[in-house]
Amino acid sequence: MMKMNRREFLKLATATTAGAAMICTADGSYIFPDAVAKADPAAPEVVYYNHCQGCNSGPKCGMKLIVKDGQLIRIERRSEGGHNNPNICAKGAAQVQDIHNPNRLLHPMKRTNPKGEPAQWEQISWEEAIETIAAKFTEIKEKYGADKVMFTTGDPKEPRPVLQRLCFLFGSPNYGTESSTCSTGTRVASYLNYGKNSFATGAGPTPGKTKLFINWGTNPAWSSSYYFETIQKAKASGCKVIVVDPRVTPTVSCVADLHLQIRPATDAALALCFGNALIQADKYDHDFVENYSHGFEEYKARCAEYTVEKTAEICQISVETLQKAIDMILGVEGPMTIQFRAAYPHHVNGVGMARAIQTLIPLSGNLDVDGGQRVSNAKSISLENTKYTGNKLATKGQYDDPTFALRADREYFPVWAECIDEIQLNMLPEYVRDGKIRAAFMLGQNAMMWPDTAAFQKAFDEMDFAVACDYYINPWTHDHCDIILPSAMSPERNYPITTNGMKIYGRQAIPAQGEAHSDCRIVADLACALGFSEEFCGGGEGVEDKIIENILFAGNKDIVAAGVKLADVYAAAPNPVVVPTEQPAENPEKKYRTQDNFFPTPTGKFEFASEVLKKFGFDPVVDHIEPAYSPVSTPDVAKDFPLILNTGSRVPMYVHSRHRQQPWLRALMPDPIVRLYPTDAAERGIVEGDDVILATPFGEIKVKAEVTNIVKPGVIDIFHGWQQANVNGIMNRVIGETLDPLSGFPAFKEGLCQVRKA
Ligand SMILES: Nc1nc2c(c(=O)[nH]1)N[C@H]1C(S)=C(S)[C@@H](COP(=O)(O)OP(=O)(O)OC[C@H]3O[C@@H](n4cnc5c(=O)[nH]c(N)nc54)[C@H](O)[C@@H]3O)O[C@H]1N2
Ligand SMILES: Nc1nc2c(c(=O)[nH]1)N[C@H]1C(S)=C(S)[C@@H](COP(=O)(O)OP(=O)(O)OC[C@H]3O[C@@H](n4cnc5c(=O)[nH]c(N)nc54)[C@H](O)[C@@H]3O)O[C@H]1N2
Ligand SMILES: [Mo]
């Protein structure tokens, strides 16, 4: 058997890699000459209608993969099938460099030296890998209980339902994902307010209908280009736009009529102030408040505390600017909608902030209104609908179920555990320390994405057994794992995905590199080895389609009723097969009022005052809470760390830690940078390009300075996911101080820091 360390492995892989050339044509397609050179010129070109997995933002951008002789020779934008984006972004075009990257993990590997040291990998067969993992998990299950094995994913979305199915069949309630640090905190908020998840992140504008759109703490120009086009269309059709963001983002520059450049973490105050304005001007939905809500008087009293003057001071904006926003909200003739995303949960009062913003939609009469936030009855055809619900864990609110009691997160985050059907992973190091988790099976899990990264690495070291599946060997995670397995990239696998209400099936366009397998197959093969062959269609090659047909399709009554087969879907490409779904009865506007139990909260109403929060001893009504570390709450700490930390604002060329290995993308941002306002830089004698130290009370990293007025004076901005400058390595985890006690989310977008010349 071949033995090699990482460096030797990379050297070997480099020798076999493709070079790096690309031609961009006038019509916006990308040709890869290296691949063209390898393909037999006589072979026919085959077109695969696919979508881009270069980022994890939905809806996905459609793309055409042109394949010749097994080589991906060209990528074209896709306008067929109603699934288009006018452009392919840099990440999409650079996809070919991902596929042929010399750093790719191509074979199953097992380590030969102790965890925590730079790993020595030994190549093993798939059979040995799957058998070893199954034997280990079975041993742990028999000795300590099935709940001691956790099954998690980072970024990957497609394989989540199959992984959850395996986790619950195995008997563990400890299924988790990166969503416990992404935007699922907004789902907690929606659950507390509405009794369900559906209203988590508000709604984008409907071109031609929405008259006022508040783009609140999100920068779709860079984070979601497909969706950004909708905002531009709405704007062109006469919709006014307010953007709430501490930074002057491209979204601000392109579409804002008014920019509220607030101090980070002050959004709850702003939303309560807007609530106060709607109530004082008597511009709120009386029918909703009187007949469909609970706790309005307490909310109204709270709002009254947030006068324009006080709020402007908290948010650090002028009274005039704030008043302008209020005038726009009170004066709008027609529907208003609000969209917000990941910035909210990334605060210690994150759930509170999201609840305060969500509340403005029904309060202003914009719930279930065309052009406002629609109540969708459309069912998405995704495996999510057919999650294994053989035990009750997939149903929310099963707090007293005996298996549920074994959830590792329950004692730390009871509110999260009450609302969300996956575990909160931000306290994983404590679950391992307490013996609640002893082994892990992880798809695309990344230790660097969690605050206090070293504690996560130590947790993987301390586990009896940790397995990771990934595209790459990532030492920051995999040096702490026992076995690593190679995953196929999206052009190399068949997979189901639903985006934007359209049903799209990605098709394998090229053979997988090395011995890579799709995540779906890896999970299925492990499941079969653990005795769940029937539930995973026997595993093996081609299992993806069997799972789509026999579980996903068979479990969806709309598809069954329509008689659609997977072959029909493939045959219809590039057009999606749209399956008729149950439509709501014809009703006048505000249909939710006619539906039974529309708000499945404890009171059966929209809860301005949350009974769930009351039950767990929290303030039931939203308030502005100063961050535990801020110039206002800790002036003593601010003496040494005067700048506000804003991490993770998306950049166009990278997705979290991904894409650093792709030369075309790396050229666009070669080094980790901290963005500083010109006066903040000048005060510190820092100029553009200087090496600087970014320090928090919990550690330091070295980065380069970018001096720019995109940031607010006194607030810095740094992207995460850099191995050599991991900002999450200088954060800590204390519930109520740097973790939201309701959702468990980290305070990625608040806290204090200092920047000095290196
Ligand atoms: N400081 C700070 N930290 C943050 C954030 C922030 O704003 N600031 N944002 C948070 C948010 S919103 C998120 S979503 C998380 C993201 O956290 P992660 O999703 O963990 O981040 P990625 O760096 O994308 O890591 C994904 C890993 O999965 C691999 N991968 C990608 N696709 C696949 C696949 O299909 N299969 C397999 N097997 N592997 C795959 C990649 O190679 C990579 O190693 O980070 C969070 N962390
Ligand atoms: N290119 C690229 N696209 C991505 C990703 C990526 O890594 N790269 N990640 C994907 C993922 S996982 C996610 S979750 C989404 C996230 O998508 P978005 O939520 O759009 O993320 P950002 O673009 O970082 O925008 C967040 C904005 O919030 C602002 N902000 C920070 N703190 C506060 C605050 O306290 N109040 C207010 N009002 N604003 C604040 C920041 O300045 C920033 O401009 O993007 C997805 N798309
Ligand atoms: Mo995210």
Side-chain angles (χ1 to χ4, degrees), residues 545-579:
D545 280 359
K546 290 184 201 157
I547 286 182
I548 295 174
E549 191 107 85
N550 298 316
I551 299 173
L552 187 150
F553 280 17
N556 185 306
K557 68 177 170 44
D558 294 320
I559 298 190
V560 173
V564 175
K565 298 276 168 222
L566 186 58
D568 304 332
V569 177
Y570 285 158
N575 298 307
V577 172
V578 179
V579 176

Side-chain angles (χ1 to χ4, degrees), residues 287-328:
D287 181 41
F288 163 75
V289 164
E290 277 145 37
N291 300 310
Y292 299 91
S293 82
H294 164 78
F296 178 68
E297 288 307 320
E298 289 154 88
Y299 169 76
K300 183 177 166 187
R302 185 59 51 81
C303 286
E305 295 171 26
Y306 291 89
T307 60
V308 174
E309 291 71 23
K310 178 177 161 180
T311 307
E313 193 186 331
I314 294 172
C315 298
Q316 275 183 2
I317 52 174
S318 73
V319 168
E320 294 70 40
T321 309
L322 178 53
Q323 191 57 53
K324 247 189 228 164
I326 291 172
D327 293 345
M328 284 170 82

Side-chain angles (χ1 to χ4, degrees), residues 232-539:
Q232 289 175 304
K233 281 187 192 146
K235 167 100 180 162
S237 73
C239 175
K240 295 277 178 229
V241 179
I242 299 175
V243 178
V244 187
D245 198 306
R247 302 186 311 149
V248 191
T249 61
T251 303
V252 172
S253 330
C254 294
V255 295
D257 293 284
L258 183 70
H259 177 203
L260 299 179
Q261 196 175 14
I262 62 168
R263 175 167 69 97
T266 60
D267 305 69
L270 184 64
L272 288 165
C273 178
F274 288 161
N276 193 39
L278 286 164
I279 295 166
Q280 296 306 321
D282 199 15
K283 291 253 178 172
Y284 67 93
D285 184 339
H286 282 261
D287 181 41
F288 163 75
V289 164
E290 277 145 37
N291 300 310
Y292 299 91
S293 82
H294 164 78
F296 178 68
E297 288 307 320
E298 289 154 88
Y299 169 76
K300 183 177 166 187
R302 185 59 51 81
C303 286
E305 295 171 26
Y306 291 89
T307 60
V308 174
E309 291 71 23
K310 178 177 161 180
T311 307
E313 193 186 331
I314 294 172
C315 298
Q316 275 183 2
I317 52 174
S318 73
V319 168
E320 294 70 40
T321 309
L322 178 53
Q323 191 57 53
K324 247 189 228 164
I326 291 172
D327 293 345
M328 284 170 82
I329 293 170
L330 297 181
V332 61
E333 285 174 12
M336 170 181 90
T337 178
I338 308 176
Q339 176 95 64
F340 46 98
R341 286 165 76 188
Y344 291 95
H346 293 170
H347 292 283
V348 175
N349 188 28
V351 170
M353 288 161 61
R355 277 182 74 209
I357 299 166
Q358 281 171 7
T359 299
L360 297 171
I361 292 169
L363 183 72
S364 62
N366 283 296
L367 181 62
D368 211 6
V369 166
D370 224 5
Q373 178 151 19
R374 292 298 307 272
V375 172
S376 169
N377 278 36
K379 291 191 187 66
S380 70
I381 302 175
S382 94
L383 269 171
E384 297 287 337
N385 291 340
T386 54
K387 274 180 182 172
Y388 177 71
T389 50
N391 63 31
K392 293 183 189 153
L393 293 170
T395 328
K396 69 177 167 54
Q398 298 295 329
Y399 207 72
D400 299 319
D401 184 273
T403 330
F404 183 82
L406 300 172
R407 260 179 73 153
D409 57 346
R410 183 175 165 163
E411 69 176 272
Y412 291 96
F413 303 111
V415 175
W416 165 276
E418 173 84 355
C419 306
I420 303 295
D421 61 1
E422 57 183 68
I423 57 166
Q424 171 46 268
L425 289 170
N426 277 296
M427 292 298 263
L428 179 65
E430 284 67 22
Y431 312 153
V432 175
R433 180 200 64 197
D434 300 345
K436 290 173 185 231
I437 300 291
R438 290 176 163 272
F441 183 81
M442 308 181 284
L443 300 172
Q445 188 66 259
N446 178 1
M448 233 188 345
M449 287 305 111
W450 306 87
D452 185 13
T453 301
F456 282 78
Q457 293 167 328
K458 186 163 163 269
F460 297 139
D461 289 342
E462 284 170 0
M463 283 183 194
D464 296 354
F465 200 62
V467 182
C469 310
D470 208 298
Y471 299 151
Y472 287 98
I473 300 186
N474 296 326
W476 55 89
T477 305
H478 301 145
D479 276 354
H480 310 277
C481 294
D482 296 273
I483 284 189
I484 53 176
L485 304 173
S487 295
M489 290 184 167
S490 62
E492 302 170 337
R493 64 194 188 213
N494 276 1
Y495 52 95
I497 189 143
T498 313
T499 126
N500 209 19
M502 288 179 286
K503 290 76 199 171
I504 294 162
Y505 297 89
R507 294 204 64 180
Q508 180 174 359
I510 50 172
Q513 296 289 304
E515 291 185 279
H517 283 175
S518 75
D519 290 322
C520 178
R521 170 158 179 207
I522 299 173
V523 173
D525 287 352
L526 175 61
C528 293
L530 287 165
F532 307 112
S533 180
E534 204 183 312
E535 292 86 345
F536 285 86
C537 307

